[in-house]
Amino acid sequence: SPEDTDARVTSVVAPLLARLAEWSRIQVSMHLAGPLLERIVSAHPTTLETLIALVRNGRVELLGNGYYDPFLGALPDHDASGQIHLMNGLLSRTLGVQPRGLWLRRSAWSPSLTGLLHRCGFTYTLLDEAALYKRTRRQVDGYFVTERDGFTSAVFPIHRTLQEQLMAPGASVEAILRERTDDSGRRMAVMAFEDIRDLDTVKSIAVLLNRVRGHGDWIQTRTFQAFMEREQPAGRIYPATPGAVAGRGGQTSIIDWEQCLADYPEANFLH
């Protein structure tokens, strides 16, 4: 409802953007669902103005998805591409943005999505590290390239375990991240926060970003597109097919949609 969306804007989006506007050295990538962005455009001019400024300054990179933030792997290809083009049109019309990265809800990956990403103009996506650990014995760092039917896409791992360590009360960002650096002193860490719905979560994220900002002499934040322009992929990988993987708070971070359709007849009926 418009009321619920307004509450989401005022309690989550607006305060988060305000913090980012204050911290000039912080860069982030962000995804906003279509109805949420539509409401910002129509009813929250101050928040929209802040968002436009951050995007134009290269401080915020907006990620794409289907307009209604669907699990793309659960949709027929023509429906998925239709929702993506609807969202891309909104981003282009309101913010002058053509997204290069695709946000996948709960890392719900399917190999067939590689071709969809390519056809819709995306060059990369993000997946939970668990989907990559199953296919590589080395520690997942940097980004990888996956392929299907001759189409390629870059894949960034979301470091969930590291994120939980950094978000723990009293955690030392310096100690945790210095432990991860290699002999050259360089490593990449990807943090991803999904379905942010309350101010307390925004405050927790702001605390983490402020800690990172306090170590600006050796920790740098980059958008994914900016990182890809400077770094080569770490190699080729074929992410594991979806399976139930426990995430924070007992939620599933990787969704096996085909099994859900088999287990829940009502979901199959809707599908």
Side-chain angles (χ1 to χ4, degrees):
S1 69
E3 293 77 14
D4 291 339
T5 307
D6 286 337
R8 188 87 171 268
V9 174
T10 56
S11 64
V12 174
V13 181
L16 184 56
L17 292 179
R19 288 295 183 93
L20 293 174
E22 295 173 2
W23 297 337
S24 60
R25 297 180 65 178
I26 296 291
Q27 296 182 9
V28 302
S29 298
M30 178 182 297
H31 168 64
L32 298 170
L36 181 61
L37 180 56
E38 289 271 22
R39 191 61 182 170
I40 292 173
V41 171
S42 63
H44 298 271
T46 302
T47 301
L48 178 62
E49 183 179 341
T50 303
L51 178 60
I52 290 174
L54 288 169
V55 170
R56 288 179 176 174
N57 292 335
R59 305 260 314 286
V60 168
E61 173 192 22
L62 289 175
L63 306 179
N65 192 3
Y67 181 88
Y68 293 104
D69 215 12
F71 291 95
L72 291 173
L75 299 181
D77 189 78
H78 61 278
D79 286 339
S81 59
Q83 281 214 37
I84 287 173
H85 288 307
L86 185 63
M87 186 67 200
N88 285 355
L90 174 62
L91 289 169
S92 176
R93 187 171 63 252
T94 59
L95 297 168
V97 169
Q98 184 63 38
R100 308 302 295 170
L102 178 81
W103 173 254
L104 286 176
R105 290 194 64 198
R106 302 286 180 85
S107 289
W109 173 255
S110 169
S112 63
L113 291 176
T114 306
L116 178 68
L117 266 64
H118 177 86
R119 292 191 296 274
C120 293
F122 295 107
T123 58
Y124 73 88
T125 188
L126 288 73
L127 287 178
D128 193 289
E129 59 188 358
L132 305 182
Y133 280 150
K134 291 181 179 179
R135 293 297 178 91
T136 179
R137 295 183 178 181
R138 55 181 168 146
Q139 193 167 19
V140 180
D141 188 41
Y143 68 96
F144 296 82
V145 172
T146 190
E147 171 272 336
R148 178 84 169 194
D149 296 332
F151 300 115
T152 61
S153 178
V155 179
F156 282 88
I158 301 172
H159 297 105
R160 300 283 186 189
T161 304
L162 176 64
Q163 179 172 315
E164 291 180 1
Q165 293 174 351
L166 291 172
M167 293 294 288
S172 171
V173 168
E174 180 173 14
I176 294 172
L177 291 185
R178 283 201 185 277
E179 186 178 347
R180 281 181 58 87
T181 58
D182 56 21
D183 294 337
S184 68
R186 300 182 62 190
R187 286 293 295 277
M188 184 195 75
V190 178
M191 309 289 103
F193 302 89
E194 188 170 17
D195 290 335
I196 305 172
R197 296 183 178 275
D198 57 79
L199 185 58
D200 288 340
T201 305
V202 172
K203 290 179 178 178
S204 298
I205 296 171
V207 168
L208 175 59
L209 290 176
N210 197 33
R211 289 174 180 170
V212 169
R213 193 171 66 101
H215 297 286
D217 57 324
W218 67 279
I219 301 178
Q220 296 181 335
T221 56
R222 290 284 183 270
T223 62
F224 294 105
Q225 190 62 38
F227 186 86
M228 290 179 65
E229 290 170 359
R230 300 180 57 171
E231 303 289 342
Q232 294 297 313
R236 177 172 295 221
I237 198 169
Y238 292 88
T241 53
V245 177
R248 286 181 62 115
Q251 296 178 336
T252 6
S253 55
I254 300 179
I255 302 297
D256 186 344
W257 268 105
E258 291 179 342
Q259 189 58 45
C260 284
L261 298 180
D263 291 343
Y264 303 101
E266 63 275 22
N268 194 42
F269 176 78
L270 290 172
H271 178 69

